[in-house]
Amino acid sequence: MQVPAARIVFSEADRAEIAAATAEILATGQLTLGPYTREFENAFARAHAAPFAIAVNSGTAALEIILRAVDVAGADVVLPTNTFAATAFAVQRAGGRPVFADVDPNTFALSAETVAEVLTERTKAVVVVHVGGLIPAGVSALRALCDKRGLALVEDAAHAHGSQRAGRYAGQFGVAAAFSFYPTKVITSGEGGMIVTSDDRIRDEALLYRDQGKAGFLGNVHIRQGYAWRMSEIHAVTGLVHLRRLPEFLAVRARIAARYDAAIDANPGLERPRTPPADVNNYYKYIVLPSSGVDRTSLRKELKEKHGVGLAGEVYEAPLHQQPVFESLAAGTLPVAEDVCARHICLPIHSDMTDAEADHVLTGLSGALRAQLLTG
Ligand SMILES: *Cc1c(COP(=O)(O)O)cnc(C)c1O
């Protein structure tokens, strides 16, 4: 049996529906910012109990627009060092300076404590990343710290479609949240992103920025330096159809995660971030933290070659303060993030995964770990 690192799930019925809608979109010529975009926005807002959702053409654009609306130009913006480079790039493109912070080893995410360590007079915003789909339990304490210090809390919810913490959805903790529909994410539109907010000022700014700062779709008056951040109708209908599968995808991912949990917890050499029982993790990633001394590169190779199992990409393999492009922003060590980045692995988890596939992954994992003990 082969279990790939990722699998993108579009049922035959969904593919047919998207194909038919695409034909209609091409026939009408209404190719961008049309009825499918509005329908996708409304459905996404409803699915996250949010007042407003604004579709754009990537998660990175969604982040940059929020950061421009919050106006971080010339200011410091705190973000976790274990995030995708796009989080920091969006800060820089909005005119801010990324300040990398350490994370809580239990959630892989920022906490009030790790953020407090790096705040300066120049800090204006904090970007919390719901790493792997887990909204950190400390997010309320983080919000309280931001409120006390007059900072905007922004959610990079690229991993967290449908995730919940204490009965609240991703997107309800900060001033606004950015979601991504890149192909590997839990819901995809091919390429795309969504801004979710309850702030009508941020909604209005987002509508301006995504369409070249034009005061109206049909007008030619530009009142912001915007960009071509529009979502096409073909992407919108793809996302709309995929979004309907979210409850079913979450159920499959939760079932597989529970199967993994039982096996991981029975192995004293393995740990994992824990999702509080009442919360919803969408398991964009299933994270396992082997005790120190496991060689990830050879584990990955052994799993692939001997068991046909592809490990999913890490979150993340290297922290951003150690990436060449951010060299000038690095300010000392961030020991927890460095440790978890070096050690963790992500087991494959797909929205249509079978129990037999999960069991095959677990058998492969214990075999590969045993092989390491014998050779190490
Ligand atoms: C995927 C991702 C993004 C960027 O989303 P795109 O749609 O690829 O632009 C931003 N932040 C995080 C944490 C991501 O995983």
Side-chain angles (χ1 to χ4, degrees):
M1 184 189 280
Q2 300 276 323
V3 182
R7 195 158 60 215
I8 291 147
V9 180
F10 278 96
S11 69
E12 213 175 304
D14 288 355
R15 294 199 300 266
E17 188 176 349
I18 293 164
T22 299
E24 177 218 321
I25 290 163
L26 295 175
T28 63
Q30 199 165 6
L31 291 163
T32 196
L33 296 185
Y36 285 111
T37 300
R38 280 190 296 277
E39 209 184 318
F40 185 28
E41 290 171 334
N42 292 339
F44 198 84
R46 260 197 318 277
H48 294 83
F52 311 120
I54 303 94
V56 291
N57 55 16
S58 73
T60 313
L63 269 175
E64 182 176 336
I65 289 171
I66 294 167
L67 291 162
R68 282 177 181 268
V70 165
D71 190 14
V72 298
D76 284 358
V77 178
V78 176
L79 66 157
T81 188
N82 59 321
T83 181
F84 189 46
T87 317
F89 290 151
V91 170
Q92 291 180 306
R93 293 207 181 93
R97 191 176 76 103
V99 174
F100 301 118
D102 212 343
V103 291
D104 179 334
N106 300 309
T107 62
F108 282 45
L110 293 181
S111 67
E113 290 74 27
T114 67
V115 169
E117 276 172 33
V118 298
L119 291 181
T120 67
E121 292 293 289
R122 293 181 309 276
T123 311
K124 189 152 181 196
V126 174
V127 184
V128 62
V129 182
H130 306 316
V131 179
L134 174 64
I135 302 174
V139 71
S140 304
L142 179 58
R143 175 66 192 250
L145 172 70
C146 289
D147 287 350
K148 194 169 113 211
R149 301 286 293 252
L151 310 173
L153 180 66
V154 173
E155 295 174 67
D156 180 338
H159 297 181
H161 317 69
S163 293
Q164 291 181 54
R165 161 72 195 149
R168 289 158 74 196
Y169 282 99
Q172 296 187 314
F173 299 94
V175 297
F179 290 82
S180 166
F181 304 117
Y182 185 74
T184 58
K185 305 288 160 79
V186 172
I187 293 297
T188 182
S189 58
E191 293 277 5
M194 192 75 80
I195 296 158
V196 161
T197 185
S198 56
D199 182 329
D200 49 16
R201 193 194 64 84
I202 293 180
R203 176 206 53 195
D204 293 344
E205 289 293 317
L207 292 172
L208 286 173
Y209 275 114
R210 78 168 169 188
D211 192 21
Q212 306 287 12
K214 283 197 297 185
F217 182 50
L218 299 173
N220 285 309
V221 182
H222 301 266
I223 57 174
R224 294 286 183 282
Q225 188 198 59
Y227 199 77
W229 278 317
R230 298 170 301 268
M231 175 175 274
S232 87
E233 286 283 278
I234 297 170
H235 291 90
V237 76
T238 304
L240 177 67
V241 169
H242 216 219
L243 179 63
R244 281 194 213 130
R245 301 293 178 189
L246 184 58
E248 163 190 334
F249 287 178
L250 293 189
V252 171
R253 301 174 85 93
R255 190 193 80 229
I256 298 299
R259 213 164 176 94
Y260 283 163
D261 288 350
I264 301 306
D265 292 350
N267 186 330
L270 302 174
E271 286 177 81
R272 62 182 174 91
R274 278 156 201 279
T275 303
D279 289 358
V280 176
N281 183 340
N282 70 3
Y283 290 102
Y284 168 59
K285 297 284 178 174
Y286 187 92
I287 299 171
V288 178
L289 208 54
S291 39
S292 34
V294 170
D295 177 345
R296 182 165 62 195
T297 309
S298 63
L299 187 72
R300 189 176 260 288
K301 193 161 177 283
E302 175 90 7
L303 271 167
K304 183 90 237 164
E305 290 172 2
K306 296 253 168 53
H307 305 278
V309 172
L311 287 179
E314 289 86 15
V315 281
Y316 284 78
E317 187 177 359
L320 294 186
H321 71 281
Q322 293 178 341
Q323 290 281 3
V325 69
F326 299 120
E327 204 180 346
S328 65
L329 294 168
T333 59
L334 297 169
V336 174
E338 286 170 28
D339 173 54
V340 297
C341 282
R343 266 199 296 139
H344 80 284
I345 57 173
C346 293
L347 302 184
I349 186 161
H350 314 145
S351 295
D352 65 348
M353 201 164 188
T354 63
D355 289 345
E357 286 178 311
D359 292 344
H360 181 74
V361 171
L362 291 169
T363 306
L365 179 64
S366 50
L369 286 168
R370 234 178 300 114
Q372 285 226 340
L373 287 178
L374 295 176
T375 57

